Amino acid sequence: MRSPTEFTAWKALTEHQKEMASVNIASLFANDPQRAIKYTTDAAGWTLDYAKNRASDKTLSLLIDLVKEAGLENAIQKMFSGEHLNSTEDRSVLHVALRASQAQKSLIVDGVDVLAEVRATLKQMETFVKQLHSGEWKGYTGKRITDVVSIGIGGSYLGPKVVTEALTPYKKDDITVHFVANIDGSDISGKLKRLNPETTVFVISSKTFGTLETLSNANAARDWFLGNGGSQDNVSKHFAAVSSNVKKAVDFGMAEENIFPMWDWVGGRYSLWSAIGLPIAIAVGMDNFYELLDGAHQMDEHFRTAPFEKNLPVIMGALGVWYINFHNAQTHALIPYDHYLRAMPAHIQQLDMESNGKSTLLNGDGVTNDTGPIIWGGAGTNGQHAYHQLLHQGTRLVPVDFIAPLTSHNPIGEHHAHLFANCLSQSQALMVGKSLEQAKQELRDTGATPEQVDVVAPHKVIPGNRPSNTLLTNKMTPATVGALIALYEHRTFVQGTVWGINSFDQWGVELGKVLGTDIYNRLVSDSDNSVLDTSTQALIDAFKKAQA
Ligand code: F6P
């Protein structure tokens, strides 16, 4: 296996970057009236306009050469057929199987038909969701359920939470879904305060059923239930689990029929499509959950079959590589102009940074190039009054994805036209900027003196030539939300494949967990801490003193 820096296309891109250094995006438009049309492509209800990039036809052609040289075609085929792409854990990577179409009859992986298991679990979810909404499922005093609390963390939390929020207009009125993740007691106590144990069901989502935060919160929820009228015999009426560790869930008090399976071929951050998505299905109903899966499947099919030149995840992934590795971009911003999508950057941050925050090639050698960027962002227009200043005039190159629906679920007054106008104006301003002469003229027009013009004008210069993609959809629906998240999943995969890393393990988070247990033991005992560094010793002492 070779480092990507040894690829012919990588070397060609290194040379090409020098040619492009003096090229301005605006001039690319001026030289090619067809640019916007040529650099727009669509799939699964989304249109990607990638014309506002520092990229020429040659750039794109070299980037496509790069992904091909990295073996992307083969990697896609391996993922969809269930080969053990997650080599360090010897597992398949099959989140795409969770949303496979009904037309596909089976998918045998390691001797098991995974589609049969997926469909049986969907049926089990259907029954559960129906019983909750119909009122057939009753709490221990015979009342119908009004609230469901999802307890989980990481992939067992963010995806379901973000999608539930994104689908707010589709929420059912009869049941409110809440999310608890943090081990900080303020999270769960804030939620429990407003709930009634007679009418609340907890869904404990943990692939391993061994995650400290989730188990601590699950125990706190059970203590609250038992301390407020519930009994151990009734725990099974108020607690369900999504886990691959059935034994641990049964030991907790769940009835086996209320335990929804998880499989080792689904990574946590790719799991919202599985029973980990149960809170979504409860919030918006099973029909909408199926639409979400269908939207993701449409994007899967596009990714699997479309030519790379027209393939949204490939284009976005390759352009990301262009900025990270050839323009030294350290971060990538996601800015949805949609209130309901405001938390989406946090999910994609987890998806991408846990997947591609790696420094080791698949063969065990160290990488010699940068890998996953820092993903960040937030809703527009709010960010315009916060961090956009740095995007426009800061020293760093930050490629941006603008994401916007063409129509609103809440069309009041001129709000949506203003929202959309702001989205377009930001990408335009990033690209065109403002020259020193323009800044000077602007000041002269306001009557500034020549001295004032000279002093202030440089501060008003906006360099421009800053790249962005714009992703548009007609409306945020379960299907388009599903397709959007699948798009980012595959974009992550494209980049991980180019870099030759394993995007599907997460060994990096383990050390902190092990040390966390050691420190916890020291906080609650009189252990000799002199083996620790003096900073950690002093911080432990501060905690102990405050508890005394
Ligand atoms: O610590 C990281 C992680 O392993 C994630 O990958 C995972 O989604 C999360 O913890 C929660 O794990 P579990 O579902 O097993 O509780």
Side-chain angles (χ1 to χ4, degrees):
M1 135 157 241
R2 289 180 301 155
S3 158
T5 53
E6 290 167 26
F7 294 163
T8 309
W10 189 286
K11 291 176 185 155
L13 280 160
T14 307
E15 288 308 308
H16 176 63
Q17 193 274 336
K18 294 175 196 154
E19 289 166 24
M20 289 298 287
S22 57
V23 175
N24 198 291
I25 305 169
S27 70
L28 293 169
F29 277 94
N31 294 338
D32 183 358
Q34 296 301 307
R35 183 174 172 85
I37 295 168
K38 267 169 45 189
Y39 288 31
T40 297
T41 184
D42 49 52
W46 285 92
T47 298
L48 167 69
D49 174 348
Y50 56 103
K52 293 190 185 85
N53 276 289
R54 291 187 192 176
S56 64
D57 293 354
K58 182 172 174 189
T59 318
L60 288 160
S61 147
L62 288 173
L63 286 169
I64 299 299
D65 290 349
L66 180 70
V67 299
K68 286 188 175 162
E69 202 173 345
L72 183 62
E73 278 150 334
N74 195 21
I76 293 174
Q77 195 271 326
K78 280 184 175 171
M79 178 166 73
F80 279 83
S81 61
E83 281 197 37
H84 285 207
L85 270 190
N86 179 353
S87 53
T88 57
E89 295 178 310
D90 196 17
R91 293 174 182 173
S92 310
V93 175
L94 271 176
H95 43 283
V96 290
L98 297 167
R99 54 227 190 186
S101 91
Q102 291 295 331
Q104 189 176 350
K105 292 296 166 227
S106 64
L107 177 58
I108 310 293
V109 174
D110 301 331
V112 176
D113 181 4
V114 298
L115 288 192
E117 294 192 347
V118 166
R119 282 163 192 165
T121 306
L122 284 166
K123 286 281 166 238
Q124 191 189 356
M125 289 169 70
E126 237 176 86
T127 307
F128 186 71
V129 171
K130 199 169 148 211
Q131 284 177 341
L132 282 174
H133 284 290
S134 67
E136 191 186 324
W137 185 291
K138 300 215 185 318
Y140 71 95
T141 56
K143 292 185 180 161
R144 64 182 293 152
I145 301 304
T146 57
D147 295 87
V148 171
V149 182
S150 165
I151 296 180
I153 198 160
S156 300
Y157 156 68
L158 259 178
K161 178 177 181 280
V162 166
V163 170
T164 302
E165 198 167 274
L167 298 182
T168 298
Y170 299 85
K171 278 185 189 166
K172 308 280 178 206
D173 293 334
D174 53 339
I175 295 178
T176 306
V177 176
H178 314 260
F179 290 89
V180 169
N182 203 330
I183 198 163
D184 184 334
S186 306
D187 192 358
I188 190 154
S189 20
K191 308 274 166 25
L192 293 180
K193 244 184 245 169
R194 293 181 197 88
L195 296 172
N196 176 357
E198 295 171 61
T199 57
T200 301
V201 161
F202 294 89
V203 176
I204 314 300
S205 298
S206 176
K207 185 171 162 182
T208 54
F209 221 83
T211 305
L212 176 71
E213 292 90 334
T214 301
L215 291 190
S216 303
N217 281 322
N219 286 329
R222 188 179 48 190
D223 290 349
W224 172 81
F225 176 74
L226 296 176
N228 287 281
S231 69
Q232 188 62 43
D233 284 350
N234 288 325
V235 165
S236 63
K237 286 197 177 76
H238 289 265
F239 285 82
V242 183
S243 185
S244 52
N245 197 331
V246 177
K247 185 178 176 314
K248 275 194 166 182
V250 169
D251 290 349
F252 181 93
M254 312 306 172
E256 234 173 279
E257 65 270 22
N258 300 334
I259 300 171
F260 297 82
M262 266 286 276
W263 306 277
D264 68 4
W265 43 260
V266 190
R269 52 198 176 272
Y270 299 88
S271 67
L272 72 92
W273 322 99
S274 71
I276 290 286
L278 189 57
I280 307 171
I282 295 168
V284 301
M286 210 57 201
D287 288 356
N288 285 319
F289 189 73
Y290 279 124
E291 273 198 37
L292 177 85
L293 298 184
D294 189 50
H297 174 71
Q298 300 305 325
M299 189 56 78
D300 294 343
E301 281 306 280
H302 168 77
F303 181 50
R304 194 174 67 79
T305 61
F308 285 174
E309 292 75 8
K310 289 272 163 212
N311 195 308
L312 270 70
V314 174
I315 294 166
M316 288 175 64
L319 282 168
V321 168
W322 174 233
Y323 296 119
I324 294 157
N325 298 118
F326 301 93
H327 294 80
N328 199 25
Q330 299 293 309
T331 84
H332 186 100
L334 260 64
I335 309 192
Y337 278 70
D338 183 82
H339 179 67
Y340 297 133
L341 267 192
R342 63 195 180 280
M344 184 214 169
H347 174 58
I348 306 305
Q349 179 181 70
Q350 166 195 249
L351 165 70
D352 200 274
M353 292 174 75
E354 199 164 56
S355 296
N356 286 344
K358 310 281 166 65
S359 333
T360 309
L361 291 169
L362 285 164
N363 68 1
D365 290 347
V367 297
T368 52
N369 50 272
D370 272 335
T371 58
I374 295 156
I375 303 282
W376 63 283
T381 61
N382 300 17
Q384 293 174 211
H385 304 274
Y387 43 75
H388 281 224
Q389 166 63 36
L390 182 145
L391 299 182
H392 292 290
Q393 282 191 313
T395 54
R396 296 167 200 281
L397 177 75
V398 183
V400 180
D401 292 347
F402 291 100
I403 302 164
L406 292 166
T407 59
S408 170
H409 281 284
N410 301 291
I412 48 164
E414 292 304 310
H415 282 239
H416 192 65
H418 281 300
L419 177 74
F420 194 70
N422 271 276
C423 176
L424 299 196
S425 67
Q426 288 299 309
S427 63
Q428 195 190 19
L430 282 169
M431 178 177 74
V432 299
K434 188 188 287 178
S435 68
L436 183 61
E437 194 38 54
Q438 284 172 318
K440 283 184 173 173
Q441 192 54 48
E442 222 177 67
L443 285 161
R444 284 184 209 112
D445 291 346
T446 60
T449 64
E451 292 72 27
Q452 284 168 330
V453 169
D454 284 345
V455 171
V456 179
H459 297 274
K460 294 191 141 211
V461 171
I462 297 176
N465 203 25
R466 302 205 164 179
S468 65
N469 294 315
T470 303
L471 276 164
L472 298 182
T473 191
N474 190 43
K475 193 170 187 176
M476 300 303 305
T477 65
T480 54
V481 169
L484 179 66
I485 294 177
L487 164 61
Y488 277 93
E489 289 178 350
H490 296 319
R491 171 188 175 278
T492 299
F493 180 60
V494 168
Q495 297 189 339
T497 303
V498 170
W499 293 320
I501 56 179
N502 181 359
S503 300
F504 301 104
D505 63 13
Q506 59 283 315
W507 299 105
V509 297
E510 296 307 321
L511 176 62
K513 288 185 190 171
V514 172
L515 295 183
T517 307
D518 176 59
I519 302 251
Y520 168 79
N521 289 333
R522 291 174 187 280
L523 291 177
V524 296
S525 70
D526 290 324
S527 56
D528 171 12
N529 296 332
S530 58
V531 288
L532 302 177
D533 62 87
T534 51
S535 161
T536 309
Q537 279 182 52
L539 297 168
I540 289 174
D541 289 346
F543 179 86
K544 284 182 151 180
K545 212 167 141 195
Q547 319 305 311

